[in-house]
């Protein structure tokens, strides 16, 4: 599943009408969604982390691989 969203080109191919800002928003939502389904609960973001990320803040948990 993760491999389906690795590159901007893959996202643009699925959503060709996205402008650069829209692409960034979609990427943020994908990153949040993928983190929320981590098998290890400790690697999942908190609600505060999710809200901060949606508000454009840098959140360390989303930089972890």
């Amino acid at each position: 599943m993760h491999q389906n969203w690795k590159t901007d080109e893959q996202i643009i191919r699925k959503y060709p009408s996205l402008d650069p800002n829209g692409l960034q928003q979609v990427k943020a939502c994908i990153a949040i969604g993928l983190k929320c389904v981590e098998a290890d609960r400790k690697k999942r973001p908190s609600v505060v982390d999710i809200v901060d990320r949606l508000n454009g803040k840098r959140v360390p948990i989303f930089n972890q691989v």
Side-chain angles (χ1 to χ4, degrees):
M1 178 74 152
H2 292 243
Q3 67 275 10
N4 293 338
W5 302 103
K6 281 190 176 181
T7 66
D8 290 359
E9 292 82 25
Q10 290 169 315
I11 297 168
I12 291 169
R13 196 174 316 125
K14 290 182 187 268
Y15 305 99
S17 64
L18 286 175
D19 62 13
N21 185 48
L23 177 61
Q24 288 303 99
Q25 291 175 2
V26 169
K27 287 170 57 175
C29 290
I30 291 168
I32 290 167
L34 291 174
K35 274 295 193 183
C36 287
V37 296
E38 284 282 349
D40 183 353
R41 290 182 62 152
K42 294 175 185 167
K43 292 182 179 180
R44 296 179 196 162
S46 68
V47 173
V48 172
D49 291 334
I50 293 168
V51 171
D52 283 348
R53 182 63 180 93
L54 288 171
N55 285 324
K57 294 181 183 175
R58 290 189 174 265
V59 181
I61 194 166
F62 293 105
N63 295 328
Q64 298 172 359
V65 176

